[in-house]
Amino acid sequence: MTQTDFVKLVMPFKDKVFRLAKRLLVSNEEAEDATQEILMKLWRNKQKISNYKNVEAFSMTMTKNFCLDRLKSKQAQNLKIVHSNYQDNNTSLQKEVENRDSVDWVSKIIEELPEQQKIILQLRDIEEYDFDEIAKVVDMNPTAIRVALSRARKTIREKLTNTHSYGVK
Amino acid sequence: MVLNSIEKLLEKYDNGETSLKEEQQLKAYFAQDNVAPHLESYRIMFQHFKTTKQELYTKDVPLKPKKNFVYQWISVAAVAVLMLGIFIPKIGEENRITSLDDLSPEERKVYFQTKEALAMLSSNFDKGTSGLSMLSDNFSQGTSSFNALSLASESFNVGAEKVSHVNMLGNTTNKYLKNTKENK
């Protein structure tokens, strides 16, 4: 497998890997490092790639495991929480500021979720995977995934409503 | 109407039962500006999903092809062999014997004994050669006489040919005599 073949194979899901890493590790830099690490691992084992049925799902599983390992390791205790890159060009300034604030809130709320729910929510609501694919990545049965997803969604909304009505009611 | 169906979808969504297609519908609804105020929290959520999805990984990954280390080691081995080839003969030259003075007395004695023995052998060999040359002389003499003999045999052949002519003549005379007898 040449470098161009590899890049072609990896291109479609490298952003998904990055976003999942960022969801779990929070920091932008950490997520970039993790993504690079995952891609390098894939590149090193490029001979075996053809044996994998679903490279994307495999990579996502790798990312999940890698990030959870990172979180458990001691290095991760120096992790900083950095939010800098949310943008939306269509709305007026006031709404934009408002949106930014609320969107920030959402990511803060998601941060507080258990890892399992974070991963599932990320794969389902952002990457739009179907339940079978998620099942492969997180190694759970679809029903359990649905339950976790439902819990995650409800928690987010509950907390969002609380923060929104804070000071108003 | 629309709001009603959206609310139903949202309920399903909260229970994690929506399909990807239904979620697309919800996303499309919350992407627009006029969202019902009581669904504001959902809007923020979907807004978040949308913006997060736009994040891209832009860093370059340095992909280096694997080097084959075997070839490198082969070149190292070749250099080692070359160096050995250059230096080892010189090591041998350092203690090579070049004159008689380098030998111990015993070795010198042995050397002279051997030399004497070889000289004796060579003198005997000379005798043998002289005898052999004499033999070769005789042999060449023999060959020359043999040549003479072959010459003689050649002249004999010539003689025999002539004799056959005489024979033929005899035959014809016989025939002639027979004929004359029959005529009588």
Side-chain angles (χ1 to χ4, degrees):
Chain A
M1 179 180 273
T2 63
Q3 200 169 323
T4 28
D5 288 342
F6 179 76
V7 170
K8 256 185 221 163
L9 180 80
V10 160
M11 267 312 264
F13 61 83
K14 71 171 174 37
D15 295 325
K16 297 185 185 178
V17 167
F18 171 68
R19 287 191 290 255
L20 178 62
K22 193 177 172 191
R23 173 65 71 215
L24 287 168
L25 299 174
V26 180
S27 143
N28 214 7
E29 285 71 27
E30 279 286 330
E32 275 177 356
D33 285 354
T35 315
Q36 180 166 340
E37 194 64 33
I38 297 295
L39 294 181
M40 293 297 278
K41 270 184 189 170
L42 279 175
W43 172 246
R44 251 177 270 141
N45 295 319
K46 59 184 184 297
Q47 276 94 354
K48 290 182 215 151
I49 275 184
S50 49
N51 302 341
Y52 304 142
K53 279 178 198 150
N54 187 343
V55 183
E56 184 175 332
F58 177 76
S59 312
M60 292 309 261
T61 317
M62 258 171 85
T63 314
K64 181 203 83 181
N65 292 336
F66 181 82
C67 293
L68 293 182
D69 281 354
R70 291 284 297 151
L71 287 175
K72 269 182 223 155
S73 76
K74 284 190 178 170
Q75 272 175 293
Q77 302 187 348
N78 304 331
L79 273 185
K80 282 179 198 143
I81 296 170
V82 182
H83 304 277
S84 51
N85 27 22
Y86 295 110
Q87 48 215 346
D88 189 14
N89 306 326
N90 319 342
T91 38
S92 65
L93 184 64
Q94 198 198 340
K95 207 160 189 195
E96 195 184 318
V97 173
E98 222 171 82
N99 268 341
R100 252 177 108 115
D101 202 39
S102 328
V103 163
D104 262 10
W105 267 113
V106 179
S107 49
K108 268 179 197 152
I109 292 164
I110 295 178
E111 250 166 63
E112 284 160 17
L113 292 174
E115 251 88 55
Q116 195 72 267
Q117 289 183 21
K118 263 191 226 175
I119 297 164
I120 293 169
L121 191 83
Q122 173 78 14
L123 292 178
R124 179 67 182 186
D125 277 337
I126 293 159
E127 310 301 356
E128 292 166 3
Y129 280 32
D130 63 42
F131 284 113
D132 290 337
E133 283 173 309
I134 299 173
K136 267 183 222 154
V137 175
V138 295
D139 199 19
M140 284 165 70
N141 64 323
T143 330
I145 292 171
R146 272 171 211 275
V147 171
L149 188 62
S150 157
R151 267 186 209 148
R153 283 167 175 171
K154 276 179 183 161
T155 318
I156 294 170
R157 223 169 50 74
E158 214 170 280
K159 287 195 177 168
L160 258 185
T161 358
N162 284 347
T163 49
H164 252 261
S165 40
Y166 183 79
V168 178
K169 278 176 195 169
Chain B
M1 270 309 285
V2 180
L3 199 62
N4 225 347
S5 68
I6 289 294
E7 275 175 351
K8 265 185 194 163
L9 277 182
L10 280 176
E11 208 189 318
K12 270 174 87 182
Y13 175 82
D14 273 347
N15 293 324
E17 286 161 350
T18 39
S19 70
L20 281 175
K21 217 174 176 184
E22 288 165 333
E23 282 171 26
Q24 284 292 342
Q25 274 181 341
L26 284 175
K27 276 174 192 172
Y29 174 77
F30 286 107
Q32 59 189 5
D33 274 341
N34 49 345
V35 175
H38 65 285
L39 297 178
E40 183 65 16
S41 57
Y42 284 107
R43 194 188 67 78
I44 294 166
M45 229 169 119
F46 281 102
Q47 180 76 40
H48 171 80
F49 296 151
K50 203 180 132 201
T51 46
T52 320
K53 206 178 173 176
Q54 282 157 2
E55 269 185 77
L56 298 177
Y57 177 71
T58 47
K59 223 170 134 190
D60 271 344
V61 181
L63 298 173
K64 280 178 200 147
K66 255 188 204 169
K67 275 186 182 169
N68 204 339
F69 288 103
V70 176
Y71 291 120
Q72 285 184 356
W73 281 111
I74 284 177
S75 66
V76 169
V79 167
V81 166
L82 211 73
M83 298 296 254
L84 285 180
I86 291 167
F87 286 115
I88 280 190
K90 285 201 174 169
I91 293 165
E93 264 168 28
E94 274 169 19
N95 45 12
R96 185 178 285 174
I97 296 159
T98 45
S99 70
L100 273 176
D101 304 330
D102 296 338
L103 293 173
S104 68
E106 278 169 34
E107 278 175 334
R108 221 172 293 175
K109 204 174 156 193
V110 171
Y111 172 75
F112 284 122
Q113 272 178 1
T114 320
K115 209 176 167 183
E116 224 168 284
L118 282 174
M120 218 154 81
L121 189 76
S122 115
S123 70
N124 283 343
F125 193 73
D126 280 349
K127 273 185 206 164
T129 349
S130 68
L132 209 68
S133 73
M134 238 153 76
L135 189 76
S136 100
D137 275 358
N138 286 345
F139 190 74
S140 61
Q141 266 173 20
T143 348
S144 66
S145 51
F146 188 75
N147 279 347
L149 209 68
S150 78
L151 215 75
S153 101
E154 225 166 82
S155 44
F156 182 76
N157 278 346
V158 175
E161 217 169 281
K162 278 176 185 166
V163 170
S164 77
H165 283 309
V166 176
N167 245 357
M168 241 151 71
L169 193 72
N171 274 350
T172 40
T173 27
N174 277 347
K175 272 180 192 169
Y176 179 73
L177 283 176
K178 236 186 225 174
N179 283 346
T180 47
K181 257 183 197 176
E182 276 167 14
N183 288 344
K184 267 182 190 174

